[in-house]
Short mmCIF file of all heavy atoms in Angstrom, two decimals:
data_model
loop_
_atom_site.label_atom_id
_atom_site.label_comp_id
_atom_site.label_asym_id
_atom_site.label_seq_id
_atom_site.Cartn_x
_atom_site.Cartn_y
_atom_site.Cartn_z
N MET A 1 -30.04 -40.23 -40.98
CA MET A 1 -30.58 -38.88 -40.86
C MET A 1 -30.88 -38.40 -42.32
O MET A 1 -30.01 -38.46 -43.14
CB MET A 1 -29.62 -37.93 -40.22
CG MET A 1 -30.01 -36.50 -40.18
SD MET A 1 -28.75 -35.61 -39.27
CE MET A 1 -29.18 -34.02 -39.71
N ALA A 2 -32.07 -37.97 -42.54
CA ALA A 2 -32.46 -37.45 -43.85
C ALA A 2 -31.97 -36.03 -43.98
O ALA A 2 -31.89 -35.24 -43.08
CB ALA A 2 -33.96 -37.52 -44.02
N ARG A 3 -31.53 -35.69 -45.19
CA ARG A 3 -31.08 -34.36 -45.54
C ARG A 3 -31.90 -33.79 -46.64
O ARG A 3 -32.37 -34.55 -47.53
CB ARG A 3 -29.58 -34.43 -46.00
CG ARG A 3 -28.62 -35.01 -44.99
CD ARG A 3 -28.24 -34.07 -43.97
NE ARG A 3 -27.46 -33.02 -44.59
CZ ARG A 3 -26.48 -32.38 -43.99
NH1 ARG A 3 -26.17 -32.73 -42.73
NH2 ARG A 3 -25.87 -31.44 -44.61
N GLU A 4 -32.02 -32.51 -46.67
CA GLU A 4 -32.81 -31.94 -47.76
C GLU A 4 -31.90 -31.18 -48.71
O GLU A 4 -30.90 -30.56 -48.25
CB GLU A 4 -33.80 -30.89 -47.12
CG GLU A 4 -34.65 -30.17 -48.13
CD GLU A 4 -35.67 -29.20 -47.49
OE1 GLU A 4 -36.13 -29.44 -46.39
OE2 GLU A 4 -35.94 -28.15 -48.11
N ILE A 5 -32.18 -31.32 -50.00
CA ILE A 5 -31.45 -30.57 -50.99
C ILE A 5 -32.42 -29.80 -51.85
O ILE A 5 -33.57 -30.18 -52.01
CB ILE A 5 -30.52 -31.49 -51.86
CG1 ILE A 5 -31.40 -32.52 -52.63
CG2 ILE A 5 -29.46 -32.20 -51.03
CD1 ILE A 5 -30.61 -33.32 -53.70
N ARG A 6 -31.96 -28.74 -52.42
CA ARG A 6 -32.77 -27.94 -53.35
C ARG A 6 -32.12 -27.93 -54.71
O ARG A 6 -30.89 -27.68 -54.81
CB ARG A 6 -32.94 -26.52 -52.83
CG ARG A 6 -33.76 -26.44 -51.56
CD ARG A 6 -34.03 -24.94 -51.14
NE ARG A 6 -34.47 -24.13 -52.27
CZ ARG A 6 -35.73 -23.92 -52.51
NH1 ARG A 6 -36.72 -24.43 -51.80
NH2 ARG A 6 -36.13 -23.10 -53.52
N ILE A 7 -32.93 -28.20 -55.74
CA ILE A 7 -32.39 -28.15 -57.08
C ILE A 7 -33.37 -27.42 -57.94
O ILE A 7 -34.60 -27.45 -57.68
CB ILE A 7 -32.02 -29.55 -57.70
CG1 ILE A 7 -33.25 -30.38 -57.70
CG2 ILE A 7 -30.92 -30.24 -56.95
CD1 ILE A 7 -33.17 -31.74 -58.43
N GLU A 8 -32.98 -26.79 -58.98
CA GLU A 8 -33.80 -26.19 -59.89
C GLU A 8 -33.88 -26.97 -61.18
O GLU A 8 -32.91 -27.49 -61.67
CB GLU A 8 -33.33 -24.72 -60.28
CG GLU A 8 -33.43 -23.77 -59.09
CD GLU A 8 -33.11 -22.35 -59.54
OE1 GLU A 8 -33.25 -21.99 -60.71
OE2 GLU A 8 -32.70 -21.58 -58.66
N VAL A 9 -35.08 -27.22 -61.66
CA VAL A 9 -35.35 -27.94 -62.92
C VAL A 9 -36.29 -27.12 -63.76
O VAL A 9 -37.04 -26.26 -63.28
CB VAL A 9 -35.91 -29.33 -62.67
CG1 VAL A 9 -34.90 -30.23 -61.87
CG2 VAL A 9 -37.22 -29.26 -61.91
N SER A 10 -36.25 -27.41 -65.06
CA SER A 10 -37.16 -26.66 -65.93
C SER A 10 -38.64 -27.03 -65.67
O SER A 10 -38.91 -28.12 -65.05
CB SER A 10 -36.84 -27.01 -67.39
OG SER A 10 -37.12 -28.38 -67.68
N ASP A 11 -39.55 -26.27 -66.13
CA ASP A 11 -40.95 -26.56 -66.01
C ASP A 11 -41.34 -27.88 -66.62
O ASP A 11 -42.09 -28.69 -66.13
CB ASP A 11 -41.82 -25.46 -66.59
CG ASP A 11 -41.77 -24.17 -65.77
OD1 ASP A 11 -41.40 -24.23 -64.56
OD2 ASP A 11 -42.06 -23.13 -66.37
N GLU A 12 -40.71 -28.13 -67.79
CA GLU A 12 -40.95 -29.42 -68.48
C GLU A 12 -40.44 -30.64 -67.67
O GLU A 12 -41.13 -31.68 -67.63
CB GLU A 12 -40.29 -29.41 -69.83
CG GLU A 12 -40.83 -28.40 -70.87
CD GLU A 12 -40.25 -26.99 -70.67
OE1 GLU A 12 -39.22 -26.82 -69.93
OE2 GLU A 12 -40.81 -26.07 -71.19
N THR A 13 -39.28 -30.48 -67.08
CA THR A 13 -38.72 -31.57 -66.27
C THR A 13 -39.62 -31.83 -65.04
O THR A 13 -39.89 -32.94 -64.71
CB THR A 13 -37.28 -31.21 -65.85
OG1 THR A 13 -36.47 -31.15 -67.00
CG2 THR A 13 -36.71 -32.32 -64.93
N TYR A 14 -40.07 -30.77 -64.44
CA TYR A 14 -40.92 -30.97 -63.26
C TYR A 14 -42.24 -31.56 -63.67
O TYR A 14 -42.79 -32.39 -62.92
CB TYR A 14 -41.11 -29.57 -62.49
CG TYR A 14 -41.75 -29.81 -61.15
CD1 TYR A 14 -40.94 -30.29 -60.12
CD2 TYR A 14 -43.12 -29.66 -60.93
CE1 TYR A 14 -41.54 -30.54 -58.86
CE2 TYR A 14 -43.72 -29.92 -59.73
CZ TYR A 14 -42.85 -30.35 -58.67
OH TYR A 14 -43.40 -30.65 -57.42
N ALA A 15 -42.81 -31.17 -64.74
CA ALA A 15 -44.03 -31.78 -65.23
C ALA A 15 -43.87 -33.25 -65.42
O ALA A 15 -44.71 -34.07 -65.04
CB ALA A 15 -44.54 -31.09 -66.51
N ALA A 16 -42.71 -33.66 -66.04
CA ALA A 16 -42.47 -35.06 -66.24
C ALA A 16 -42.27 -35.82 -64.95
O ALA A 16 -42.75 -36.93 -64.78
CB ALA A 16 -41.21 -35.25 -67.15
N LEU A 17 -41.61 -35.16 -64.02
CA LEU A 17 -41.42 -35.68 -62.65
C LEU A 17 -42.79 -35.92 -61.98
O LEU A 17 -43.02 -36.99 -61.45
CB LEU A 17 -40.51 -34.78 -61.83
CG LEU A 17 -40.37 -35.21 -60.33
CD1 LEU A 17 -39.60 -36.47 -60.24
CD2 LEU A 17 -39.63 -34.00 -59.62
N GLU A 18 -43.59 -34.93 -62.05
CA GLU A 18 -44.95 -35.05 -61.45
C GLU A 18 -45.75 -36.20 -62.10
O GLU A 18 -46.41 -36.98 -61.43
CB GLU A 18 -45.74 -33.77 -61.59
CG GLU A 18 -45.30 -32.71 -60.61
CD GLU A 18 -46.22 -31.44 -60.70
OE1 GLU A 18 -46.45 -31.01 -61.86
OE2 GLU A 18 -46.61 -30.98 -59.61
N GLN A 19 -45.64 -36.29 -63.36
CA GLN A 19 -46.37 -37.39 -64.11
C GLN A 19 -45.86 -38.76 -63.68
O GLN A 19 -46.63 -39.67 -63.49
CB GLN A 19 -46.23 -37.19 -65.61
CG GLN A 19 -47.02 -38.17 -66.41
CD GLN A 19 -46.96 -37.83 -67.92
OE1 GLN A 19 -46.09 -37.11 -68.36
NE2 GLN A 19 -47.83 -38.42 -68.68
N ALA A 20 -44.48 -38.91 -63.64
CA ALA A 20 -43.90 -40.18 -63.25
C ALA A 20 -44.33 -40.52 -61.76
O ALA A 20 -44.63 -41.70 -61.45
CB ALA A 20 -42.41 -40.15 -63.40
N ALA A 21 -44.24 -39.52 -60.94
CA ALA A 21 -44.62 -39.71 -59.53
C ALA A 21 -46.10 -40.12 -59.36
O ALA A 21 -46.43 -41.06 -58.57
CB ALA A 21 -44.31 -38.48 -58.69
N ALA A 22 -46.95 -39.46 -60.10
CA ALA A 22 -48.36 -39.73 -60.02
C ALA A 22 -48.66 -41.16 -60.47
O ALA A 22 -49.53 -41.85 -59.90
CB ALA A 22 -49.19 -38.75 -60.88
N ALA A 23 -47.93 -41.62 -61.46
CA ALA A 23 -48.14 -42.97 -61.96
C ALA A 23 -47.82 -44.03 -60.87
O ALA A 23 -48.27 -45.10 -60.91
CB ALA A 23 -47.32 -43.20 -63.21
N ARG A 24 -46.96 -43.62 -59.93
CA ARG A 24 -46.54 -44.53 -58.88
C ARG A 24 -47.23 -44.15 -57.56
O ARG A 24 -46.90 -44.71 -56.47
CB ARG A 24 -45.02 -44.50 -58.70
CG ARG A 24 -44.34 -45.16 -59.87
CD ARG A 24 -42.86 -44.71 -60.02
NE ARG A 24 -42.20 -45.36 -61.14
CZ ARG A 24 -42.31 -44.93 -62.40
NH1 ARG A 24 -43.11 -43.89 -62.71
NH2 ARG A 24 -41.71 -45.53 -63.41
N HIS A 25 -48.10 -43.18 -57.62
CA HIS A 25 -48.90 -42.76 -56.48
C HIS A 25 -48.04 -42.32 -55.28
O HIS A 25 -48.29 -42.63 -54.12
CB HIS A 25 -49.85 -43.91 -56.01
CG HIS A 25 -50.73 -44.40 -57.06
ND1 HIS A 25 -51.74 -43.71 -57.59
CD2 HIS A 25 -50.64 -45.60 -57.76
CE1 HIS A 25 -52.30 -44.42 -58.60
NE2 HIS A 25 -51.60 -45.55 -58.71
N VAL A 26 -46.98 -41.50 -55.64
CA VAL A 26 -46.16 -40.91 -54.60
C VAL A 26 -45.95 -39.40 -54.93
O VAL A 26 -46.23 -38.99 -56.07
CB VAL A 26 -44.79 -41.55 -54.52
CG1 VAL A 26 -44.90 -43.04 -54.07
CG2 VAL A 26 -43.96 -41.45 -55.82
N ALA A 27 -45.53 -38.65 -53.94
CA ALA A 27 -45.26 -37.24 -54.16
C ALA A 27 -44.04 -37.11 -55.08
O ALA A 27 -43.13 -37.92 -55.05
CB ALA A 27 -44.94 -36.54 -52.77
N ALA A 28 -44.00 -36.01 -55.81
CA ALA A 28 -42.91 -35.77 -56.74
C ALA A 28 -41.56 -35.75 -55.99
O ALA A 28 -40.55 -36.26 -56.50
CB ALA A 28 -43.12 -34.46 -57.50
N GLU A 29 -41.53 -35.12 -54.82
CA GLU A 29 -40.32 -35.04 -54.10
C GLU A 29 -39.81 -36.43 -53.64
O GLU A 29 -38.64 -36.76 -53.66
CB GLU A 29 -40.48 -34.11 -52.84
CG GLU A 29 -40.75 -32.68 -53.22
CD GLU A 29 -42.18 -32.39 -53.61
OE1 GLU A 29 -43.06 -33.31 -53.46
OE2 GLU A 29 -42.45 -31.25 -54.01
N ASP A 30 -40.77 -37.29 -53.20
CA ASP A 30 -40.39 -38.67 -52.79
C ASP A 30 -39.88 -39.48 -54.03
O ASP A 30 -38.94 -40.22 -53.92
CB ASP A 30 -41.60 -39.38 -52.19
CG ASP A 30 -42.02 -38.73 -50.86
OD1 ASP A 30 -41.14 -38.09 -50.21
OD2 ASP A 30 -43.20 -38.92 -50.45
N TYR A 31 -40.56 -39.27 -55.10
CA TYR A 31 -40.12 -39.97 -56.34
C TYR A 31 -38.74 -39.50 -56.80
O TYR A 31 -37.89 -40.36 -57.06
CB TYR A 31 -41.11 -39.74 -57.50
CG TYR A 31 -40.72 -40.42 -58.76
CD1 TYR A 31 -40.80 -41.84 -58.88
CD2 TYR A 31 -40.23 -39.76 -59.88
CE1 TYR A 31 -40.42 -42.51 -60.01
CE2 TYR A 31 -39.81 -40.38 -61.02
CZ TYR A 31 -39.95 -41.73 -61.10
OH TYR A 31 -39.55 -42.37 -62.27
N ALA A 32 -38.48 -38.25 -56.77
CA ALA A 32 -37.16 -37.73 -57.09
C ALA A 32 -36.08 -38.29 -56.20
O ALA A 32 -35.02 -38.73 -56.60
CB ALA A 32 -37.16 -36.17 -57.02
N GLY A 33 -36.38 -38.37 -54.90
CA GLY A 33 -35.44 -39.01 -53.93
C GLY A 33 -35.19 -40.44 -54.20
O GLY A 33 -34.02 -40.93 -54.15
N ASP A 34 -36.30 -41.19 -54.54
CA ASP A 34 -36.15 -42.57 -54.87
C ASP A 34 -35.27 -42.75 -56.10
O ASP A 34 -34.43 -43.70 -56.18
CB ASP A 34 -37.53 -43.23 -55.11
CG ASP A 34 -38.25 -43.31 -53.81
OD1 ASP A 34 -37.75 -43.17 -52.72
OD2 ASP A 34 -39.58 -43.64 -53.94
N VAL A 35 -35.49 -41.99 -57.15
CA VAL A 35 -34.66 -42.06 -58.38
C VAL A 35 -33.21 -41.75 -58.09
O VAL A 35 -32.31 -42.43 -58.55
CB VAL A 35 -35.30 -41.13 -59.47
CG1 VAL A 35 -34.36 -40.99 -60.67
CG2 VAL A 35 -36.63 -41.59 -59.90
N LEU A 36 -33.01 -40.73 -57.34
CA LEU A 36 -31.59 -40.40 -57.00
C LEU A 36 -30.96 -41.55 -56.21
O LEU A 36 -29.78 -41.91 -56.52
CB LEU A 36 -31.54 -39.08 -56.20
CG LEU A 36 -30.18 -38.61 -55.69
CD1 LEU A 36 -29.28 -38.37 -56.90
CD2 LEU A 36 -30.29 -37.33 -54.86
N HIS A 37 -31.64 -42.03 -55.24
CA HIS A 37 -31.10 -43.15 -54.40
C HIS A 37 -30.80 -44.38 -55.32
O HIS A 37 -29.71 -45.01 -55.22
CB HIS A 37 -32.08 -43.54 -53.32
CG HIS A 37 -31.57 -44.66 -52.44
ND1 HIS A 37 -31.88 -45.98 -52.66
CD2 HIS A 37 -30.75 -44.62 -51.42
CE1 HIS A 37 -31.31 -46.71 -51.78
NE2 HIS A 37 -30.62 -45.94 -50.97
N ALA A 38 -31.68 -44.71 -56.21
CA ALA A 38 -31.49 -45.85 -57.12
C ALA A 38 -30.26 -45.67 -57.97
O ALA A 38 -29.51 -46.56 -58.23
CB ALA A 38 -32.72 -46.13 -57.91
N ASP A 39 -30.15 -44.42 -58.54
CA ASP A 39 -29.00 -44.14 -59.36
C ASP A 39 -27.68 -44.21 -58.61
O ASP A 39 -26.71 -44.81 -59.12
CB ASP A 39 -29.16 -42.77 -59.99
CG ASP A 39 -28.05 -42.43 -61.00
OD1 ASP A 39 -27.98 -43.17 -62.04
OD2 ASP A 39 -27.25 -41.56 -60.78
N LEU A 40 -27.67 -43.67 -57.38
CA LEU A 40 -26.42 -43.83 -56.58
C LEU A 40 -26.10 -45.19 -56.25
O LEU A 40 -24.93 -45.62 -56.21
CB LEU A 40 -26.55 -42.89 -55.39
CG LEU A 40 -26.61 -41.39 -55.69
CD1 LEU A 40 -26.92 -40.64 -54.38
CD2 LEU A 40 -25.32 -40.89 -56.28
N THR A 41 -27.13 -45.97 -55.93
CA THR A 41 -26.91 -47.41 -55.62
C THR A 41 -26.42 -48.15 -56.81
O THR A 41 -25.45 -48.93 -56.70
CB THR A 41 -28.29 -48.03 -55.15
OG1 THR A 41 -28.72 -47.36 -53.94
CG2 THR A 41 -28.08 -49.49 -54.84
N ARG A 42 -26.94 -47.89 -57.96
CA ARG A 42 -26.40 -48.53 -59.21
C ARG A 42 -24.99 -48.10 -59.48
O ARG A 42 -24.12 -48.95 -59.82
CB ARG A 42 -27.29 -48.12 -60.42
CG ARG A 42 -26.83 -48.74 -61.73
CD ARG A 42 -27.73 -48.32 -62.88
NE ARG A 42 -27.34 -48.98 -64.05
CZ ARG A 42 -26.30 -48.66 -64.83
NH1 ARG A 42 -25.59 -47.62 -64.51
NH2 ARG A 42 -26.03 -49.28 -65.98
N THR A 43 -24.64 -46.85 -59.27
CA THR A 43 -23.32 -46.39 -59.48
C THR A 43 -22.32 -47.09 -58.51
O THR A 43 -21.26 -47.55 -58.97
CB THR A 43 -23.24 -44.86 -59.29
OG1 THR A 43 -24.05 -44.23 -60.25
CG2 THR A 43 -21.81 -44.32 -59.43
N ARG A 44 -22.68 -47.15 -57.24
CA ARG A 44 -21.80 -47.91 -56.29
C ARG A 44 -21.65 -49.33 -56.72
O ARG A 44 -20.53 -49.88 -56.56
CB ARG A 44 -22.39 -47.76 -54.89
CG ARG A 44 -22.19 -46.44 -54.26
CD ARG A 44 -22.47 -46.44 -52.80
NE ARG A 44 -23.85 -46.84 -52.45
CZ ARG A 44 -24.83 -46.03 -52.31
NH1 ARG A 44 -24.69 -44.73 -52.43
NH2 ARG A 44 -26.02 -46.48 -52.04
N PHE A 45 -22.74 -49.99 -57.15
CA PHE A 45 -22.62 -51.39 -57.60
C PHE A 45 -21.68 -51.51 -58.74
O PHE A 45 -20.81 -52.39 -58.78
CB PHE A 45 -24.04 -51.90 -57.93
CG PHE A 45 -23.99 -53.32 -58.52
CD1 PHE A 45 -23.86 -54.37 -57.69
CD2 PHE A 45 -23.93 -53.56 -59.88
CE1 PHE A 45 -23.81 -55.71 -58.19
CE2 PHE A 45 -23.90 -54.80 -60.43
CZ PHE A 45 -23.84 -55.92 -59.59
N ILE A 46 -21.86 -50.61 -59.76
CA ILE A 46 -20.99 -50.73 -60.93
C ILE A 46 -19.55 -50.54 -60.57
O ILE A 46 -18.61 -51.22 -61.01
CB ILE A 46 -21.39 -49.74 -62.03
CG1 ILE A 46 -22.82 -50.10 -62.54
CG2 ILE A 46 -20.43 -49.67 -63.15
CD1 ILE A 46 -22.93 -51.41 -63.24
N GLU A 47 -19.25 -49.55 -59.72
CA GLU A 47 -17.90 -49.27 -59.27
C GLU A 47 -17.32 -50.48 -58.46
O GLU A 47 -16.16 -50.82 -58.71
CB GLU A 47 -17.85 -48.01 -58.40
CG GLU A 47 -18.03 -46.76 -59.18
CD GLU A 47 -18.19 -45.51 -58.35
OE1 GLU A 47 -18.19 -45.65 -57.04
OE2 GLU A 47 -18.35 -44.41 -58.89
N GLY A 48 -18.10 -51.12 -57.64
CA GLY A 48 -17.72 -52.32 -56.93
C GLY A 48 -17.39 -53.45 -57.81
O GLY A 48 -16.40 -54.17 -57.70
N ALA A 49 -18.29 -53.66 -58.82
CA ALA A 49 -18.12 -54.75 -59.78
C ALA A 49 -16.83 -54.53 -60.60
O ALA A 49 -16.06 -55.44 -60.82
CB ALA A 49 -19.34 -54.90 -60.69
N ARG A 50 -16.65 -53.26 -61.01
CA ARG A 50 -15.41 -52.95 -61.77
C ARG A 50 -14.19 -53.21 -60.96
O ARG A 50 -13.18 -53.84 -61.46
CB ARG A 50 -15.50 -51.52 -62.25
CG ARG A 50 -14.42 -51.11 -63.24
CD ARG A 50 -14.65 -49.71 -63.75
NE ARG A 50 -15.79 -49.75 -64.69
CZ ARG A 50 -16.80 -48.87 -64.64
NH1 ARG A 50 -16.88 -47.91 -63.77
NH2 ARG A 50 -17.78 -49.03 -65.53
N SER A 51 -14.21 -52.88 -59.73
CA SER A 51 -13.06 -53.09 -58.81
C SER A 51 -12.82 -54.62 -58.63
O SER A 51 -11.70 -55.02 -58.65
CB SER A 51 -13.32 -52.41 -57.47
OG SER A 51 -12.32 -52.71 -56.60
N PHE A 52 -13.94 -55.34 -58.46
CA PHE A 52 -13.82 -56.78 -58.27
C PHE A 52 -13.18 -57.40 -59.55
O PHE A 52 -12.27 -58.26 -59.41
CB PHE A 52 -15.15 -57.40 -58.05
CG PHE A 52 -15.16 -58.87 -57.82
CD1 PHE A 52 -14.94 -59.40 -56.51
CD2 PHE A 52 -15.39 -59.71 -58.91
CE1 PHE A 52 -14.90 -60.79 -56.37
CE2 PHE A 52 -15.36 -61.10 -58.70
CZ PHE A 52 -15.09 -61.62 -57.40
N VAL A 53 -13.66 -57.05 -60.73
CA VAL A 53 -13.09 -57.61 -61.93
C VAL A 53 -11.65 -57.26 -62.07
O VAL A 53 -10.80 -58.12 -62.43
CB VAL A 53 -13.88 -57.07 -63.22
CG1 VAL A 53 -13.16 -57.44 -64.47
CG2 VAL A 53 -15.27 -57.69 -63.16
N HIS A 54 -11.33 -56.05 -61.80
CA HIS A 54 -9.86 -55.60 -61.89
C HIS A 54 -9.03 -56.43 -60.93
O HIS A 54 -7.96 -56.85 -61.30
CB HIS A 54 -9.78 -54.08 -61.56
CG HIS A 54 -8.34 -53.58 -61.57
ND1 HIS A 54 -7.70 -53.42 -62.76
CD2 HIS A 54 -7.54 -53.26 -60.58
CE1 HIS A 54 -6.42 -53.00 -62.47
NE2 HIS A 54 -6.34 -52.87 -61.12
N GLU A 55 -9.52 -56.63 -59.73
CA GLU A 55 -8.72 -57.34 -58.70
C GLU A 55 -8.56 -58.84 -58.98
O GLU A 55 -7.54 -59.42 -58.77
CB GLU A 55 -9.37 -57.19 -57.33
CG GLU A 55 -8.65 -57.84 -56.21
CD GLU A 55 -9.31 -57.63 -54.84
OE1 GLU A 55 -10.10 -56.68 -54.72
OE2 GLU A 55 -9.02 -58.38 -53.96
N HIS A 56 -9.61 -59.42 -59.60
CA HIS A 56 -9.64 -60.92 -59.81
C HIS A 56 -9.44 -61.38 -61.24
O HIS A 56 -9.59 -62.52 -61.52
CB HIS A 56 -10.83 -61.47 -59.20
CG HIS A 56 -10.96 -61.19 -57.72
ND1 HIS A 56 -10.26 -61.90 -56.81
CD2 HIS A 56 -11.67 -60.32 -57.03
CE1 HIS A 56 -10.47 -61.41 -55.56
NE2 HIS A 56 -11.40 -60.46 -55.68
N ALA A 57 -9.29 -60.49 -62.20
CA ALA A 57 -9.23 -60.78 -63.64
C ALA A 57 -8.14 -61.84 -63.93
O ALA A 57 -8.40 -62.83 -64.64
CB ALA A 57 -9.04 -59.59 -64.46
N ASP A 58 -6.96 -61.73 -63.37
CA ASP A 58 -5.86 -62.59 -63.68
C ASP A 58 -6.15 -64.05 -63.15
O ASP A 58 -5.91 -64.99 -63.82
CB ASP A 58 -4.53 -62.06 -63.08
CG ASP A 58 -4.04 -60.85 -63.80
OD1 ASP A 58 -4.40 -60.65 -64.98
OD2 ASP A 58 -3.33 -60.05 -63.20
N ALA A 59 -6.71 -64.13 -61.94
CA ALA A 59 -7.05 -65.40 -61.40
C ALA A 59 -8.17 -66.06 -62.20
O ALA A 59 -8.14 -67.30 -62.49
CB ALA A 59 -7.49 -65.25 -59.95
N PHE A 60 -9.14 -65.28 -62.64
CA PHE A 60 -10.17 -65.85 -63.52
C PHE A 60 -9.58 -66.29 -64.84
O PHE A 60 -9.93 -67.40 -65.24
CB PHE A 60 -11.19 -64.67 -63.81
CG PHE A 60 -12.38 -65.17 -64.63
CD1 PHE A 60 -13.56 -65.61 -64.02
CD2 PHE A 60 -12.31 -65.14 -66.04
CE1 PHE A 60 -14.61 -66.03 -64.76
CE2 PHE A 60 -13.41 -65.54 -66.80
CZ PHE A 60 -14.59 -65.98 -66.12
N ALA A 61 -8.65 -65.56 -65.40
CA ALA A 61 -8.07 -66.01 -66.69
C ALA A 61 -7.24 -67.24 -66.48
O ALA A 61 -7.25 -68.15 -67.34
CB ALA A 61 -7.20 -64.83 -67.21
N ALA A 62 -6.51 -67.31 -65.38
CA ALA A 62 -5.70 -68.51 -65.09
C ALA A 62 -6.60 -69.74 -64.94
O ALA A 62 -6.23 -70.86 -65.44
CB ALA A 62 -4.86 -68.28 -63.85
N ARG A 63 -7.70 -69.60 -64.26
CA ARG A 63 -8.60 -70.77 -64.09
C ARG A 63 -9.38 -71.13 -65.29
O ARG A 63 -9.59 -72.30 -65.61
CB ARG A 63 -9.51 -70.48 -62.91
CG ARG A 63 -10.44 -71.61 -62.64
CD ARG A 63 -11.16 -71.50 -61.35
NE ARG A 63 -11.99 -72.72 -61.18
CZ ARG A 63 -12.34 -73.13 -59.99
NH1 ARG A 63 -11.96 -72.55 -58.91
NH2 ARG A 63 -13.14 -74.22 -59.91
N TYR A 64 -9.91 -70.13 -66.03
CA TYR A 64 -10.84 -70.42 -67.12
C TYR A 64 -10.24 -70.13 -68.52
O TYR A 64 -10.84 -70.41 -69.52
CB TYR A 64 -12.10 -69.61 -66.97
CG TYR A 64 -12.84 -69.97 -65.69
CD1 TYR A 64 -12.84 -69.12 -64.64
CD2 TYR A 64 -13.54 -71.16 -65.57
CE1 TYR A 64 -13.52 -69.45 -63.45
CE2 TYR A 64 -14.18 -71.56 -64.41
CZ TYR A 64 -14.20 -70.65 -63.35
OH TYR A 64 -14.82 -71.00 -62.21
N GLY A 65 -9.03 -69.59 -68.53
CA GLY A 65 -8.39 -69.31 -69.83
C GLY A 65 -8.89 -68.15 -70.63
O GLY A 65 -8.56 -67.95 -71.76
N VAL A 66 -9.75 -67.35 -70.02
CA VAL A 66 -10.30 -66.18 -70.70
C VAL A 66 -10.24 -65.00 -69.77
O VAL A 66 -10.65 -65.05 -68.63
CB VAL A 66 -11.79 -66.43 -71.08
CG1 VAL A 66 -12.39 -65.17 -71.77
CG2 VAL A 66 -11.87 -67.61 -71.99
N ARG A 67 -9.72 -63.88 -70.28
CA ARG A 67 -9.69 -62.66 -69.46
C ARG A 67 -10.97 -61.90 -69.80
O ARG A 67 -11.30 -61.69 -70.94
CB ARG A 67 -8.45 -61.85 -69.86
CG ARG A 67 -8.34 -60.62 -68.95
CD ARG A 67 -6.96 -59.95 -69.28
NE ARG A 67 -6.78 -58.76 -68.47
CZ ARG A 67 -6.20 -58.82 -67.24
NH1 ARG A 67 -5.70 -59.92 -66.82
NH2 ARG A 67 -6.04 -57.70 -66.55
N PRO A 68 -11.69 -61.51 -68.72
CA PRO A 68 -13.00 -60.79 -68.96
C PRO A 68 -12.77 -59.50 -69.76
O PRO A 68 -11.78 -58.83 -69.62
CB PRO A 68 -13.46 -60.47 -67.56
CG PRO A 68 -12.68 -61.37 -66.64
CD PRO A 68 -11.43 -61.69 -67.35
N THR A 69 -13.72 -59.19 -70.64
CA THR A 69 -13.67 -57.97 -71.37
C THR A 69 -13.71 -56.78 -70.49
O THR A 69 -14.47 -56.73 -69.54
CB THR A 69 -14.91 -57.91 -72.38
OG1 THR A 69 -14.89 -59.10 -73.17
CG2 THR A 69 -14.81 -56.65 -73.22
N GLY A 70 -12.86 -55.80 -70.71
CA GLY A 70 -12.81 -54.59 -69.98
C GLY A 70 -11.93 -54.63 -68.75
O GLY A 70 -11.78 -53.69 -68.06
N ALA A 71 -11.36 -55.87 -68.46
CA ALA A 71 -10.47 -55.93 -67.27
C ALA A 71 -9.09 -55.32 -67.61
O ALA A 71 -8.58 -55.47 -68.71
CB ALA A 71 -10.35 -57.36 -66.90
N ALA A 72 -8.58 -54.63 -66.69
CA ALA A 72 -7.31 -53.91 -66.86
C ALA A 72 -6.17 -54.89 -66.57
O ALA A 72 -6.17 -55.79 -65.79
CB ALA A 72 -7.19 -52.66 -66.01
#
């Protein structure tokens, strides 16, 4: 189910949004939704990857002798 949200942006931001949307031949509202969806998808991916590294870092180090950078 699609949901509608309302946000306020500056005139400059909206002009940039319109320009970016026009370059992709979509409505500004659709482009904004696509950008938001992509950002949230990326955030979920990064969080999942971070969780995976945290969970498996010790096994990785035991097998390959190197603990991944940033692993807790």
Side-chain angles (χ1 to χ4, degrees):
M1 175 177 165
R3 303 280 292 212
E4 182 177 325
I5 62 172
R6 292 184 51 92
I7 58 170
E8 291 187 25
V9 296
S10 68
D11 290 339
E12 295 82 14
T13 298
Y14 192 77
L17 173 66
E18 284 184 312
Q19 185 176 15
R24 290 160 181 80
H25 307 289
V26 297
E29 294 80 6
D30 293 336
Y31 180 71
D34 291 346
V35 169
L36 178 59
H37 181 265
D39 184 64
L40 293 172
T41 299
R42 181 181 183 280
T43 298
R44 284 192 301 268
F45 174 81
I46 296 296
E47 289 171 356
R50 189 173 288 130
S51 174
F52 181 86
V53 168
H54 178 72
E55 183 177 341
H56 300 284
D58 291 334
F60 184 92
R63 179 167 183 155
Y64 299 106
V66 178
R67 186 174 182 89
T69 303

